[in-house]
Amino acid sequence: MSILSILEPANATTATRQAVTRLTTGSIPATVGADLLVPLADGRVTDYANFDHGASAPCLESVRRAVEAALPSYASVHRGNGYASRITTQWYERARAEVHSFVGAREDDQVIFTRQTTDALNLLAKALPAAATVIVFESEHHAALLPWPAERTVRLPAPSTSTGAVTAVADALRQAPEGPRLVVVTGASNVTGEIFPLAELAAVARAHGARICLDAAQLAPHREVDITELDVDWVALSGHKLYAPYGAGALIGRADWLNAAEPYLYGGGATASVTADATVWNEGPSRHEGGSPNVIGAIALAAACAAISQHREAIEQHERSLLARLRTGLAQIDGVTTYDIFGADADRVGTVCFTVAGISSTLTSAALSAEYGIGVRDGKFCAHPLVGHLLQDSPEHGTAVRASLGLGTTREHIDRLVAAVRTLATKGLSRHYEESAHGCQPADDPRDLEAPQIW
């Protein structure tokens, strides 16, 4: 389905069509806020270098346009005969079809709209058959590590090689009790960006009669995800990491466990009939989409999926080039250590995890922001076991810095980050910083960091 069918209302003008075309063609999709200016502690102003795409990516211009096109006729979906409800229902179900296509889902796979990846994986956890065993690496994001029943979950140590990951899962499946079994694996690490051997892990799961769920939150924005080709059973993803920050995500995959489970949310939409004596629940996506759904979020997610699919090759080339430049630059700085699960040569998306000798990750991120207009993430990235594993030989550091690039990143941003880290590593901090409940910033910070009232 063309993105234009989602973006354009039925009576779209020529000017509207031209605007939509401008936003959805070209080598790299444009992002909202690409011209954002931020204040520095020395009084200057600079354009913002966003290296926090791994937490939440900026909105695509085409996504914003889709939302703006949908809002005038926004209404509740399903069972409404009014014009606005009929139009909105069509957009909502087209959005479901767009997400289905985006991940190469099988014809009978369901697309259930959720809040984000965390919500999707919790939904699947609630749908597990009785006595199901779950196998998961401790290197997972907490969203994929924590939802499963503790007494029936096997946590594997963080692997050190791709081959070792496959072997560990095979061994765990051989030792697992009979009955339903589920392997849960990330597509790309949210800490290091490294890509796991997904096809090989799926093959191992199949060989042992197990199912496999892919956490694609960090992978889908950067690389193609194809359920059919990978032969995985479910994929979970988030709109806010896919340049659609409107509160929607999705769980896509096989229907049987989901149709057999109790509804994730009890309420309207999930029910086929309700009487004084019994409740009959729907099957299909509506079973787990109780309540009025986030229609605008679904439309935004679909618009992002369409734009990324259209520009996939250009996006990958753009990000591979920038990542290589960033990794080469950081590798040449004495005192900077980067961290990997599988090693320096592993395939990865645009994320780098590093520390600077003599400076904590909190101070590093604060200095990059205050003095250079660079936004990174510091901490343990909702992956505490993995960060602890990676930093076990770095007693100086309990946390790390993560730089994650994306569509809003330029070569100048890369060079600015490398130069800033080099200055910090060789000369140290140029200002005194203070930590508070509100964060870390220069003691004499002249910047106005209060958010303006926007409503």
Side-chain angles (χ1 to χ4, degrees):
M1 178 183 299
S2 167
I3 188 173
L4 298 183
S5 65
I6 297 177
L7 297 186
E8 292 184 0
N11 61 345
T13 64
T14 300
T16 297
R17 290 190 175 94
Q18 291 174 345
V20 170
T21 300
R22 285 196 300 272
L23 293 173
T24 56
T25 57
S27 58
I28 297 294
T31 58
V32 177
D35 56 352
L36 176 65
L37 298 177
V38 296
L40 302 181
D42 62 5
R44 293 180 299 140
V45 174
T46 188
D47 69 295
Y48 184 56
N50 182 0
F51 283 94
D52 202 16
H53 289 75
S56 283
C59 184
L60 288 182
E61 287 282 3
S62 58
V63 168
R64 177 166 69 175
R65 182 62 185 176
V67 169
E68 290 174 350
L71 286 176
S73 57
Y74 168 75
S76 61
V77 297
H78 303 140
R79 300 176 303 283
N81 285 320
Y83 173 82
S85 181
R86 291 173 68 94
I87 294 299
T88 303
T89 298
Q90 290 179 57
W91 279 339
Y92 185 64
E93 293 306 330
R94 289 180 190 175
R96 199 186 306 277
E98 189 74 59
V99 174
H100 186 280
S101 174
F102 179 71
V103 298
R106 297 163 291 257
E107 183 177 355
D108 57 350
D109 281 341
Q110 292 186 0
V111 175
I112 300 174
F113 286 119
T114 63
R115 290 178 295 173
Q116 71 297 81
T117 304
T118 300
D119 197 31
L121 293 173
N122 274 270
L123 188 165
L124 183 59
K126 294 292 191 297
L128 289 177
T133 300
V134 178
I135 296 169
V136 60
F137 287 106
E138 70 172 6
S139 49
E140 294 289 323
H141 185 284
H142 292 169
L145 183 68
L146 300 179
W148 321 107
E151 69 278 7
R152 292 186 275 117
T153 298
V154 178
R155 284 194 188 179
L156 303 177
S160 57
T161 66
S162 293
T163 301
V166 176
T167 300
V169 169
D171 290 343
L173 287 170
R174 276 193 291 269
Q175 298 171 22
E178 291 297 321
R181 287 166 290 177
L182 176 69
V183 177
V184 180
V185 64
T186 188
S189 169
N190 76 301
V191 177
T192 68
E194 291 165 276
I195 296 175
F196 274 62
L198 303 177
E200 293 85 351
L201 289 169
V204 164
R206 290 282 171 268
H208 290 84
R211 296 192 177 190
I212 184 167
C213 174
L214 169 60
D215 172 1
Q218 298 291 335
L219 184 63
H222 309 287
R223 301 287 182 86
E224 182 178 10
V225 173
D226 192 306
I227 285 181
T228 304
E229 184 176 329
L230 290 172
D231 197 20
V232 298
D233 297 279
W234 291 278
V235 165
L237 49 77
S238 292
H240 73 100
K241 297 185 190 298
L242 272 165
Y243 304 93
Y246 287 85
L251 177 69
I252 310 103
R254 300 195 185 278
D256 53 351
W257 286 10
L258 298 170
N259 285 335
E262 286 290 300
Y264 186 50
L265 294 172
Y266 290 174
T271 55
S273 69
V274 179
T275 67
D277 301 317
T279 298
V280 178
W281 303 105
N282 280 324
E283 291 193 352
S286 61
R287 184 182 186 89
H288 298 290
E289 291 181 356
S292 295
N294 179 4
V295 176
I296 295 300
I299 291 171
L301 176 58
C305 289
I308 291 171
S309 294
Q310 181 178 350
H311 298 277
R312 176 66 73 186
E313 184 176 349
I315 290 171
E316 289 191 21
Q317 291 177 355
H318 170 75
E319 294 183 350
R320 286 182 188 275
S321 174
L322 293 180
L323 177 60
R325 192 176 185 88
L326 175 57
R327 295 185 69 209
T328 298
L330 292 178
Q332 296 171 350
I333 304 174
D334 290 338
V336 172
T337 302
T338 58
Y339 298 90
D340 309 289
I341 301 171
F342 300 137
D345 295 332
D347 188 19
R348 68 193 69 213
V349 300
T351 296
V352 178
C353 178
F354 68 94
T355 56
V356 179
I359 307 178
S360 72
S361 63
T362 299
L363 288 173
T364 298
S365 66
L368 289 174
S369 175
E371 300 177 38
Y372 302 96
I374 298 170
V376 296
R377 181 73 43 160
D378 69 274
K380 295 184 177 180
F381 322 118
C382 295
H384 293 188
L386 175 57
V387 173
H389 168 75
L390 294 175
L391 299 182
Q392 61 184 335
D393 296 326
S394 303
E396 176 188 8
H397 297 284
T399 59
V401 177
R402 182 184 69 187
S404 51
L405 56 86
L407 295 180
T409 311
T410 67
R411 285 185 61 168
E412 187 279 327
H413 293 161
I414 298 291
D415 294 344
R416 193 196 315 175
L417 175 59
V418 171
V421 173
R422 180 179 291 109
T423 299
L424 290 173
T426 57
K427 299 181 180 180
L429 297 168
S430 63
R431 293 174 176 269
H432 175 65
Y433 286 79
E434 294 180 342
E435 294 189 50
S436 69
H438 303 290
C440 184
Q441 63 191 79
D444 57 347
D445 197 345
R447 298 173 298 165
D448 181 4
L449 299 179
E450 289 297 316
Q453 187 77 335
I454 57 174
W455 59 83

